[in-house]
Amino acid sequence: SGGLYARASLTHGWHAQLSRMDAVKVAVAALTAAADEDRATGGVDLERGIYPVIKVCTSEGQTDASDEEIAACYRSILEARAAGGNL
């Protein structure tokens, strides 16, 4: 239900040469944007240790982003927001 917001965020942050961490950060930012705008969309919950499943696909194959990677990206998004920036 928050897909419209997630899509806009993905479109803004994606480019073909993203590093793994930047790709995870773009995905976390998209999920965060969706959760911010739509109450039915879940987001990251640092307090309860609830993280989305994020798949990272490369030419070498597919892996899951770790909870630690997701938490680090989410914290950086929160810090940027507190400082008045994006992502």
Side-chain angles (χ1 to χ4, degrees), residues 2 8 14 28-29 36-37 39-41 44 51 53 58 61 75 77 83-84:
W14 183 87
V28 172
D36 285 349
E37 299 299 329
R39 293 172 81 59
T41 300
V44 176
Y51 304 98
V53 175
T58 67
R75 284 187 184 99
I77 290 166

Side-chain angles (χ1 to χ4, degrees), residues 58-76:
T58 67
S59 59
E60 288 82 38
Q62 174 268 315
T63 58
D64 290 345
S66 70
D67 289 349
E68 292 78 18
E69 286 176 296
I70 295 168
C73 289
Y74 187 65
R75 284 187 184 99
S76 73

Side-chain angles (χ1 to χ4, degrees), residues 2-3 36 38 47 54 60 83 86:
D36 285 349
D38 179 62
E47 286 186 32
I54 296 177
E60 288 82 38
N86 294 325

Side-chain angles (χ1 to χ4, degrees), residues 4-25:
L4 181 64
Y5 305 104
R7 175 188 251 168
S9 181
L10 285 171
T11 300
H12 176 72
W14 183 87
H15 63 83
Q17 302 302 318
L18 287 173
S19 68
R20 177 189 173 90
M21 189 56 104
D22 286 341
V24 172
K25 189 172 182 180

